[in-house]
């Protein structure tokens, strides 16, 4: 795609910055190895380490990847609220990372291994981040129960697959419906950004977002 | 796809705005497109431009297509997808050259509030089939899943057509795509191809829904 990343992000909820993080990839690799050493647990376990940048400053990304800085600046999402590193295994079901009518919440991710449709690539439903698109409520429930409700496997849901190579940066609006299928073990670096809240309701939403980022996916603050 | 049940099919159509029926009209496709060729060659009542020559009311002019649609129970499929009894709107044939830009067939009407005061909503389905295999580089229909619910939320005009992150519906002759004409859709890299399009609407429950249906039909640029 050649479309301006900020337009894709605003209107469809995602964009890819090809190779943008390649210059810092050695630092990311080193920080990852320090926080999630290879031999700690079986290769079949999903693992996460929060506060990644605080524990390994070499994992910082803002100010080091001009394409990402420019994108975040255009979106106004200049405040990094959390970071994490993950060993992902297997599938990730259809979901959004919470749904916020107010404020702006972005997640930037880099994968340590190539991903594609047959190998754990992130896939999104374009435009599903916008409240006026009508995706919230029953549509989300049906997506989460896709086998029973829709008669489709998760990887048969019509979506855009974001195939990546190490060093590519994927940025997505955390409202956007997303998933990953057919994945083997893959490393992921992730940074979460928000637009500094202005109104009281935006501050409340931002607080909920931050709490949710630090809590297991089984718990939600609403 | 896994087990096929009417309820999941309707839910898929409601959720994404399209459904593909593989080989549904394969038994009649060759004969029906031969009738399209004959009608275009005869030139009688053919309308449009060089990029899109159309034969209105083609369903009434092709016995092969009419028999094929009856055998495939197309109206019953429409009723299944739309959730109630349907009325036939039109059945046209076209010869299309090149690209079709991003649009909703009911562009003007779809940008307004689609629901009458009682909350009911006019529902339409358009079945299309082609005379040649089509993929993303040769004019296959592509659309934005879910955009039928709020076409205005998908500003495709801001992007180069190929940059819109679309779902491409690859087809072979005899395959039938059913889609909500409010969906944002396009066709890019198109070779010369012939298309048959047949549309139905859910029977209106009240005067408000009838008015809304009329405005959607009148806004449909493909209605000749």
């Amino acid at each position: 795609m050649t479309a301006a990343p900020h337009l894709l992000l605003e209107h469809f909820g995602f964009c890819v910055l090809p190779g943008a993080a390649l210059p810092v990839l050695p630092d990311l690799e080193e920080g990852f190895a320090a926080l999630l050493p290879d031999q700690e647990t079986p290769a079949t376990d999903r693992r996460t380490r929060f506060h990644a940048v605080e524990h390994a400053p070499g994992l910082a990304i803002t100010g080091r990847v001009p394409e990402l800085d420019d994108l975040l600046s255009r979106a106004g999402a200049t405040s990094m609220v959390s970071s994490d590193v993950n060993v992902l295994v297997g599938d990730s079901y259809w979901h959004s990372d919470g749904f916020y009518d107010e404020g702006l919440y972005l997640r930037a991710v880099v994968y340590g291994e190539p991903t594609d449709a047959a190998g754990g690539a992130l896939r999104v439903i374009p435009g599903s981040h916008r409240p006026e698109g009508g995706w919230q409520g029953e549509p989300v429930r049906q997506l989460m129960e896709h086998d029973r409700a829709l008669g489709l496997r998760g990887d048969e849901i019509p979506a855009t697959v974001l195939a990546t190579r190490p060093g590519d940066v994927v940025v997505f609006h955390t409202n956007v419906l997303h998933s990953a299928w057919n994945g083997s073990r893959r490393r992921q670096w992730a940074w979460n950004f928000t637009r500094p809240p202005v109104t009281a309701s935006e501050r409340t939403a931002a607080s909920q977002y931050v709490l949710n980022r630090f809590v297991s996916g089984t718990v939600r603050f609403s | 796809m896994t087990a096929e049940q009417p309820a999941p099919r309707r839910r898929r159509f409601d959720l994404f705005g399209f459904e593909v029926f593989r080989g549904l009209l394969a038994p009649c496709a060759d004969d029906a497109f031969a009738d399209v060729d004959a009608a275009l060659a005869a030139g009688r009542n053919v309308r449009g431009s060089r990029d899109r020559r159309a034969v209105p009311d083609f369903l009434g002019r092709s016995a092969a297509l009419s028999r094929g649609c009856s055998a495939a129970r197309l109206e019953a499929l429409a009723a299944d997808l739309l959730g109630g009894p349907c009325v036939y709107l039109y059945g046209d044939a076209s010869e299309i050259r090149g690209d079709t830009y991003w649009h909703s067939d009911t562009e003007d009407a779809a940008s307004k509030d689609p629901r009458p005061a009682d909350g009911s909503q006019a529902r339409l389905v358009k079945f299309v089939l082609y005379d040649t295999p089509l993929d993303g580089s040769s004019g296959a229909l592509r659309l934005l899943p879910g955009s039928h619910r709020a076409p205005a939320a998908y500003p495709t005009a801001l992007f180069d057509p190929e940059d819109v992150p679309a779902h491409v519906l690859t087809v072979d002759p005899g395959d039938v795509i059913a889609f909500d004409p409010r969906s944002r859709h396009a066709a890019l890299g198109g070779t010369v191809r012939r298309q048959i399009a047949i549309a139905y609407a859910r029977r209106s429950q009240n005067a408000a829904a009838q008015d809304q249906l009329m405005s959607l039909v009148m806004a449909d640029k493909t209605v000749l």
Side-chain angles (χ1 to χ4, degrees):
Chain A
M1 289 186 183
T2 57
H6 70 282
L7 287 179
L8 278 172
L9 183 62
E10 177 180 355
H11 296 291
F12 293 114
F14 71 95
C15 67
V16 181
L17 306 174
L22 274 176
V24 299
L25 198 54
D27 287 350
L28 300 186
E29 301 255 8
E30 186 180 331
F32 195 102
L35 296 187
L36 289 175
D38 254 349
Q39 292 80 20
E40 258 183 9
T41 58
T44 51
D45 286 1
R46 176 180 175 142
R47 292 184 291 155
T48 292
R49 186 78 183 265
F50 292 112
H51 309 292
V53 173
E54 290 87 335
H55 290 299
L59 294 178
I61 197 166
T62 48
R64 303 175 71 197
V65 176
E67 296 96 323
L68 180 62
D69 290 338
D70 179 61
L71 180 72
L72 296 172
S73 174
R74 283 172 178 270
T78 52
S79 175
M80 194 188 83
V81 292
S82 65
S83 60
D84 47 272
V85 289
N86 305 278
V87 174
L88 305 177
V89 291
D91 300 335
S92 170
Y93 65 95
W94 281 102
H95 67 288
S96 63
D97 296 345
F99 196 92
Y100 300 88
D101 290 348
E102 296 198 71
L104 175 66
Y105 307 96
L106 303 177
R107 183 167 170 86
V109 296
V110 173
Y111 293 94
E113 287 70 35
T115 67
D116 58 20
L122 187 71
R123 55 184 77 202
V124 301
I125 296 182
S128 58
H129 62 304
R130 301 178 72 135
E132 66 270 32
W135 284 94
Q136 285 305 298
E138 184 65 11
V140 170
R141 192 192 63 75
Q142 290 178 359
L143 277 175
M144 294 177 78
E145 299 176 9
H146 48 80
D147 285 310
R148 186 194 63 76
L150 302 172
L152 297 174
R153 296 192 313 264
D155 63 352
E156 291 178 317
I157 297 294
T160 297
V161 177
L162 307 178
T164 58
R165 302 194 61 77
D168 294 349
V169 182
V170 177
V171 183
F172 62 98
H173 194 302
T174 57
N175 280 2
V176 83
L177 288 159
H178 58 281
S179 69
W181 303 92
N182 313 310
S184 54
R185 180 186 181 280
R186 56 208 184 274
R187 293 167 297 162
Q188 183 199 61
W189 295 264
W191 303 264
N192 298 294
F193 300 91
T194 184
R195 185 167 59 206
V198 176
T199 66
S201 57
E202 282 182 0
R203 278 193 289 276
T204 301
S207 301
Q208 290 166 357
Y209 175 80
V210 171
L211 286 170
N212 283 326
R213 288 256 48 105
F214 288 109
V215 175
S216 148
T218 58
V219 179
R220 289 279 175 206
F221 291 87
S222 56
Chain B
M1 296 197 182
T2 49
E4 190 61 38
Q5 298 294 329
R9 184 161 63 198
R10 186 180 305 163
R11 288 194 194 113
R12 290 196 296 268
F13 190 75
D14 284 346
L15 191 58
F16 302 121
F18 74 95
E19 182 75 8
V20 181
F21 298 92
R22 298 290 174 195
L24 181 70
L25 290 179
C28 74
D30 287 348
D31 290 341
F33 281 109
D35 288 343
V36 174
D37 286 341
L40 289 169
R44 187 165 43 86
N45 199 26
V46 173
R47 300 180 187 178
S49 63
R50 179 183 177 278
D51 289 340
R52 191 180 189 110
R53 294 198 301 147
V55 184
D57 192 29
F58 178 71
L59 184 58
R61 296 165 66 173
S62 171
L65 180 62
S66 183
R67 279 196 302 271
C69 290
S70 295
R73 303 185 68 246
L74 204 64
E75 185 172 337
L77 277 179
D80 182 28
L81 293 173
L82 299 182
C86 288
V87 291
Y88 166 76
L89 292 179
Y90 59 84
D92 300 338
S94 306
E95 180 183 70
I96 305 169
R97 293 170 185 267
D99 297 345
T100 305
Y101 63 95
W102 279 100
H103 67 289
S104 299
D105 288 350
T106 54
E107 197 86 55
D108 297 333
S111 65
K112 299 169 187 164
D113 184 357
R115 290 173 189 273
D118 68 353
S120 64
Q121 190 173 27
R123 298 294 313 275
L124 297 89
V125 59
K126 184 172 175 179
F127 295 97
V128 293
L129 67 154
Y130 298 88
D131 66 334
T132 185
L134 296 174
D135 61 23
S137 62
S138 61
L141 185 71
R142 60 183 64 203
L143 51 72
L144 285 163
S147 59
H148 59 302
R149 287 194 297 274
Y154 296 79
T156 48
L158 295 177
F159 297 87
D160 286 339
E162 63 274 15
D163 284 341
V164 173
H167 188 69
V168 177
L169 301 175
T170 300
V171 288
D172 286 316
D175 293 348
V176 176
I177 298 168
F179 72 102
D180 186 319
R182 281 177 281 214
S183 300
R184 289 272 183 207
H185 59 282
L188 306 178
T191 53
V192 179
R193 58 211 184 270
R194 291 165 183 79
Q195 178 202 66
I196 294 171
I198 303 165
Y200 293 89
R202 189 169 63 185
R203 195 178 296 279
S204 301
Q205 302 294 310
N206 53 48
Q210 178 71 24
D211 288 347
Q212 190 208 17
L213 176 60
M214 285 306 298
S215 83
L216 286 171
V217 171
M218 294 306 290
D220 188 337
K221 296 173 188 64
T222 64
V223 175
L224 299 170

